[in-house]
Every structure is written in C-alpha cells, then in structure tokens.
C-alpha cells in the first residue's frame, strides 16, 4: 500500500553493478489497484510489460561503495481517473541520490485541527538545482495532518498547501524560505490553512 509509505522509505531492490555511470532505472509493475469511495479498481498500466516505467537518473557507481537512489512515487500525480472511471498509471517518480537530497516534514491544520488529504507542493525559490518556480515534488497529509515531501535537492523552497473539504470549500496555506540541505530533514512545524480568496 503506497499510502503507508508516504512518510517512510523502504528498499525495493539492490544489485551489484560495475563501476560507471547510471542514467536510467526501469520498473516493471505487474498489477496495481486503487481503492476509492466506489470500491477497488484495476489500474491500466500502458506499455509496462514491453518497456517498463523509465526513470531517468544521474548517478556514478564507484568501486566498493553503495550508491543509494531514492525513487519517490508521487501518488497524487501518477494515478489519473479517466472519464469512464478507469484509473490510468501516468507515473511521476522524482529520482535523486539519497546523499545529495533532503526532505521537508511538517503538519497542516485548519482552525487548529489536523487536516487529512491536503496537498503540499514544494516550489523551488532559490538555488542552482532547478529553475526558480519549478514545482519539484508534492505530498498529501496523513490522518494526523502530517506530511513529508521527499527527493528535494538543496536550496530554498516555498511550500504551497491546498485543500478542499466536504462542503466543498477551498482552503490554502503557504510557507516561504524553507531551506533544504543534503542528507537531512527540515521540520517546518504547522502550516495553518485559511479560506481561499
């Protein structure tokens, strides 16, 4: 269950490789399902058995070392429900070297209460790793309102939060000047939501 892994990592695979550059990882997914309010649905996986899911990376394997690559499957962006109700896998998987990237953790509240299902997007604001304004990665808040955004290269970020409740009413929040450093987590504390303008 990918939703169980939003705030923790797990080892998917390991392999011995010769020294050299690695530019791509391919993932082969046999089956997938999505469970929503209407039940459990099979996910259509285009071209998977022929070519796999291609994830571009930039890594150099050195002798007698471990090169750890973080693949963050972005659930919110990768599973798209079609007009006929069928879910289609359109994978969005940021990939970075673990020792070159960092994470951001925090929580989202509305009127002091934790919010589940808010979307937290990390937008690059300053640094040399992405163009300014790039939406680098995103994550949704868990039942206790907490979130963890993975696979962020160093620099300053703005966190933008959006949430729609059951009314439906829209709420937003933002936090600027969030500094990410390689190999560490940046804790932001709580981000309070307010009604969208």
């Amino acid at each position: 269950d990918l939703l169980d892994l939003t705030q923790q990592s797990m080892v998917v695979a390991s392999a011995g490789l010769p020294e050299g550059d690695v530019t791509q990882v391919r993932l082969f997914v046999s089956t997938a399902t999505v469970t929503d309010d209407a039940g459990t649905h099979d996910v259509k996986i285009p071209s998977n058995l022929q070519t796999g899911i291609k994830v571009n990376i930039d890594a150099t394997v050195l002798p007698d070392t471990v090169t750890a690559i973080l693949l963050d499957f972005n659930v919110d962006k990768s599973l798209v429900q079609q007009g006929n109700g069928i879910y289609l896998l359109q994978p969005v998987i940021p990939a970075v070297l673990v020792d070159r990237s960092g994470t951001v953790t925090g929580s989202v509240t509305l009127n002091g209460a934790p919010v589940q299902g808010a979307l937290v997007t990390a937008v690059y604001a300053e640094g040399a790793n992405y163009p300014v304004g790039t939406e680098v990665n995103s994550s949704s808040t868990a039942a206790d309102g907490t979130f963890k955004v993975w696979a962020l290269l160093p620099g300053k970020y703005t966190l933008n939060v959006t949430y729609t409740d059951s009314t439906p009413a829209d709420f937003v929040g933002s936090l600027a000047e969030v500094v990410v450093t390689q190999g560490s987590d940046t804790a932001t504390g709580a981000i309070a939501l307010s009604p969208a303008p």
Side-chain angles (χ1 to χ4, degrees):
D1 188 339
L2 292 175
L3 296 180
D4 290 340
L5 298 174
T6 57
Q7 296 188 36
Q8 62 183 352
S9 62
M10 68 175 290
V11 176
V12 175
S14 63
L17 298 174
E19 179 181 359
D21 294 331
V22 178
T23 59
Q24 190 177 87
V25 172
R26 293 193 187 198
L27 307 173
F28 292 87
V29 180
S30 56
T31 61
T33 59
V34 170
T35 301
D36 61 16
D37 293 338
T40 299
H41 315 274
D42 289 331
V43 174
K44 184 177 180 183
I45 308 172
S47 305
N48 179 61
L49 296 178
Q50 291 78 27
T51 62
I53 299 169
K54 301 170 189 173
V55 181
N56 294 327
I57 58 172
D58 179 16
T60 300
V61 176
L62 300 174
D64 303 317
T65 61
V66 174
T67 303
I69 301 168
L70 172 65
L71 304 175
D72 182 32
F73 184 87
N74 191 313
V75 175
D76 297 302
K77 294 184 177 180
S78 296
L79 297 166
V80 180
Q81 190 172 24
Q82 307 297 293
N84 57 7
I86 295 174
Y87 282 90
L88 179 66
L89 179 64
Q90 295 180 331
V92 175
I93 307 174
V96 294
L97 294 181
V98 171
D99 62 359
R100 291 188 196 165
S101 66
T103 58
V104 173
T105 56
S107 62
V108 174
T109 61
L110 178 59
N111 299 322
V115 175
Q116 180 179 11
L119 181 65
V120 182
T121 302
V123 179
Y124 206 61
E126 183 181 319
N129 286 304
Y130 309 97
V132 170
T134 300
E135 291 188 3
V136 177
N137 205 2
S138 63
S139 184
S140 292
T141 54
D144 62 356
T146 60
F147 66 85
K148 186 168 191 172
V149 184
W150 297 83
L152 303 175
L153 293 178
K156 286 186 180 178
Y157 290 80
T158 298
L159 298 183
N160 294 323
V161 185
T162 57
Y163 172 68
T164 301
D165 69 10
S166 58
T167 310
D170 295 327
F171 298 88
V172 295
S174 184
L175 182 64
E177 301 287 315
V178 177
V179 178
V180 173
T181 57
Q182 64 183 32
S184 64
D185 177 69
T186 301
T188 66
I191 301 173
L193 296 179
S194 57

